[in-house]
Amino acid sequence: MMNTQHAAQQFTQATRRAVAQTERRAVIRRNIGSYHQKVAEGKRRYANWAAARDRAAARKQQVLAQWDRYLEAFEANVIANGGRVHWAETAEEARRIVLAIARQHGVRSVVKSKSMVTEEIHLNAALEQAGIEVVETDLGEYVCQLRGEPPFHIVTPIMHLSRQEVAVTFRKKLQVAASDRAEELTQIARQRLRAAFLRADMGITGANFLIAETGQIAITENEGNARLCFSGPPVHVVLAGIEKLLPTVSDLALFWPLLATSGTGQSLTVYNSLIAGPRAGGELHVVLVDNGRTRLFAAGEQREALRCIRCGACLNICPIYQNVGGHSYGTTYQGPVGSVITPWLRDDDDWSHLSYASSLCGACTDVCPVGIHLHHHLLANRRDAVARGRDAWWQRVLFRGWLWVMQSPERYRWAGRLATWAGAVGLRGPRGFPMPVRRTFRDWWSGQR
Ligand code: SF4
């Protein structure tokens, strides 16, 4: 178990390093700038974006209101379609299930499409430890794998890298003479990945949505690699968080464009697949992962965050994320949504320090396509952390002192005088924060009279 103080200190140190990397921040700013332009165009295609968002929020809320019923319906329909369903309460259990399926089929090589839940449960490391080759087939994730780095962002895993840096990675890790032309780099990755698809015994994918009424798995992607993962190898394993449900297949008419618009500014992602059972002669396994989601549900108001469709919009708008970047968080899910859900998903630490990594400007709440009140939940997390005694002793002393002062006009007056005195003798606040002026408003006002 990681020590709370240790995780918070690591976060502070990582953010200090990240904000000093001005070139890296310029790359991120450029990429996020072009994202915002595309998303603004995408939203203009909607007759009423706010109404679409309200409908989506209500639909996901309906799922949460009858979560058990929708989960059981989904399970029954997957089985009726010829698939198998496994329930994993923890990350450890999910890894064990996937390893057991792999062993049962003598799997030696796995191809994977982009899946944040597999990052969350550290699946690749477990498979590799068991002597199984794992190849990430999403281009961004492939580059992350070559560099030995986790994804920097939940949608665009290498948004922090320039083409030149990707070329250097290819030259170093793949021993190829690559220029930094995007087409050339893509061709190199394509050749390597084709070979991996052909030798794979198992394909692993995530799921964007699970359709309760039909037992279908909806996967949306831009490269076509997920299709090759689930249609080529004889065994397909889907890993999905238990919050991914939608009631009916017609809900996709709302959610697919909503996710594409908020995620990348596209009207619709290029490849949208619905899987309704195993491929001919193959096997389909669906692993439903809890790993703290029911803990988040039990939290009460923060359960609203289970509506998240992982579009990444709140990361892109967040001034903290833009400056400290994805790796500083030390978590699978970064930015505002990561700060809200991580303290509930991970029990290896408190992680409540992340809820303070926010200016509470509310921009994340404004952009969320499923209407999650993210900045409100960051405050709720802070409140809950204090109730659990996670605040530092000096914070308790400071706020009790502040309360004591604010409860009496006389004490408030004296505190004001003390502050002006501190300013007069040249004391300065942290990080250049201005000290109060030398004369209080009360003194000035009584002078006017
Ligand atoms: S919280 Fe909202 S904006 Fe953030 S990733 Fe989830 S759906 Fe997107």
Side-chain angles (χ1 to χ4, degrees):
M1 181 179 289
M2 198 186 287
N3 169 291
T4 302
Q5 199 62 22
H6 188 223
Q9 274 168 1
Q10 277 188 342
F11 176 67
T12 309
Q13 284 161 6
T15 54
R16 285 206 179 114
R17 278 195 302 273
V19 293
Q21 294 173 342
T22 44
E23 279 178 35
R24 172 83 60 236
R25 284 170 62 198
V27 174
I28 297 165
R29 237 191 340 268
R30 197 171 52 241
N31 288 337
I32 289 186
S34 91
Y35 160 86
H36 285 314
Q37 232 175 345
K38 287 184 202 143
V39 169
E41 281 165 29
K43 285 184 179 170
R44 279 198 288 274
R45 283 192 289 267
Y46 275 75
N48 189 339
W49 171 260
R53 167 189 150 123
D54 290 349
R55 266 184 61 207
R59 208 65 176 138
K60 286 297 271 183
Q61 201 58 34
Q62 182 185 337
V63 169
L64 290 177
Q66 294 179 295
W67 203 8
D68 50 345
R69 188 171 78 75
Y70 285 115
L71 276 169
E72 282 167 11
F74 175 75
E75 179 189 34
N77 287 320
V78 170
I79 294 168
N81 293 341
R84 297 179 207 180
V85 176
H86 311 260
W87 298 86
E89 201 178 322
T90 61
E92 212 260 312
E93 207 177 334
R95 291 193 297 264
R96 212 164 1 138
I97 291 166
V98 179
L99 277 172
I101 299 168
R103 286 199 184 106
Q104 190 191 339
H105 292 274
V107 169
R108 281 168 303 159
S109 181
V110 167
V111 278
K112 260 191 77 223
S113 69
K114 184 168 168 31
S115 150
M116 291 313 292
V117 79
T118 60
E119 294 288 335
E120 179 188 325
I121 65 166
H122 305 294
L123 182 63
N124 286 12
L127 288 167
E128 281 162 358
Q129 257 173 26
I132 298 169
E133 177 202 39
V134 188
V135 182
E136 293 286 352
T137 62
D138 170 271
L139 184 55
E141 293 283 347
Y142 181 59
V143 175
C144 285
Q145 190 178 32
L146 290 177
R147 293 170 66 90
E149 281 179 2
F152 192 82
H153 186 283
I154 59 176
V155 175
T156 43
I158 53 165
M159 71 131 64
H160 60 307
L161 297 181
S162 63
R163 255 184 304 123
Q164 290 74 12
E165 285 172 300
V166 174
V168 170
T169 303
F170 276 23
R171 286 198 284 268
K172 217 155 57 183
K173 302 287 178 172
L174 300 177
Q175 314 291 325
V176 288
S179 77
D180 56 16
R181 279 180 51 243
E183 295 78 4
E184 193 180 330
L185 295 169
T186 315
Q187 279 306 326
I188 292 168
R190 187 185 161 97
Q191 277 167 12
R192 304 279 171 146
L193 294 176
R194 285 274 154 175
F197 283 122
L198 290 173
R199 66 176 176 269
D201 316 293
M202 180 193 267
I204 296 180
T205 68
N208 295 101
F209 302 105
L210 305 172
I211 312 298
E213 92 173 325
T214 55
Q216 288 167 305
I217 295 122
I219 298 180
T220 182
E221 47 150 349
N222 273 318
E223 296 169 20
N225 60 303
R227 284 192 172 179
L228 290 170
C229 283
F230 66 72
S231 56
V235 183
H236 175 201
V237 178
V238 179
L239 283 116
I242 51 177
E243 80 286 9
K244 293 276 179 177
L245 290 158
L246 286 179
T248 66
V249 74
S250 56
D251 285 312
L252 291 174
L254 172 64
F255 279 89
W256 262 344
L258 203 71
L259 176 56
T261 304
S262 288
T264 53
Q266 292 165 282
S267 354
L268 206 56
T269 312
V270 178
Y271 298 94
N272 294 286
S273 308
L274 271 172
I275 300 159
R279 52 156 263 195
E283 272 185 28
L284 168 69
H285 295 263
V286 182
V287 185
L288 295 171
V289 181
D290 179 334
N291 201 31
R293 285 158 177 80
T294 45
R295 215 170 18 241
L296 175 55
F297 186 82
E301 57 193 301
Q302 290 100 316
R303 78 170 53 148
E304 196 187 65
L306 288 164
R307 296 207 298 241
C308 177
I309 55 171
R310 307 278 189 261
C311 72
C314 59
L315 282 66
N316 297 333
I317 201 76
C318 176
I320 308 297
Y321 179 88
Q322 286 174 19
N323 283 295
V324 308
H327 288 159
S328 304
Y329 289 80
T331 57
T332 307
Y333 306 102
Q334 315 96 352
V337 69
S339 300
V340 170
I341 67 176
T342 304
W344 304 98
L345 295 194
R346 288 180 64 164
D347 63 358
D348 62 340
D349 198 349
D350 180 57
W351 296 100
S352 60
H353 59 278
L354 296 178
S355 299
Y356 294 85
S358 168
S359 64
L360 300 177
C361 65
C364 47
T365 299
D366 283 348
V367 296
C368 179
V370 283
I372 301 171
H373 298 88
L374 288 155
H375 69 297
H376 170 83
H377 298 311
L378 289 169
L379 270 176
N381 272 0
R382 294 183 193 183
R383 178 202 59 206
D384 292 350
V386 170
R388 291 198 306 271
R390 298 288 186 169
D391 51 339
W393 67 266
W394 60 266
Q395 286 173 322
R396 280 195 290 278
V397 170
L398 193 74
F399 282 108
R400 281 199 190 132
W402 180 82
L403 182 67
W404 183 74
V405 167
M406 298 302 279
Q407 281 171 334
S408 147
E410 194 53 29
R411 290 198 285 264
Y412 181 77
R413 187 157 42 243
W414 277 106
R417 293 233 165 93
L418 203 63
T420 55
W421 172 81
V425 298
L427 292 180
R428 286 283 162 265
R431 288 181 282 170
F433 190 78
M435 288 302 284
V437 288
R438 294 186 178 188
R439 194 174 178 206
T440 65
F441 175 77
R442 275 172 195 274
D443 291 343
W444 174 82
W445 183 248
S446 54
Q448 295 300 308
R449 282 197 289 180

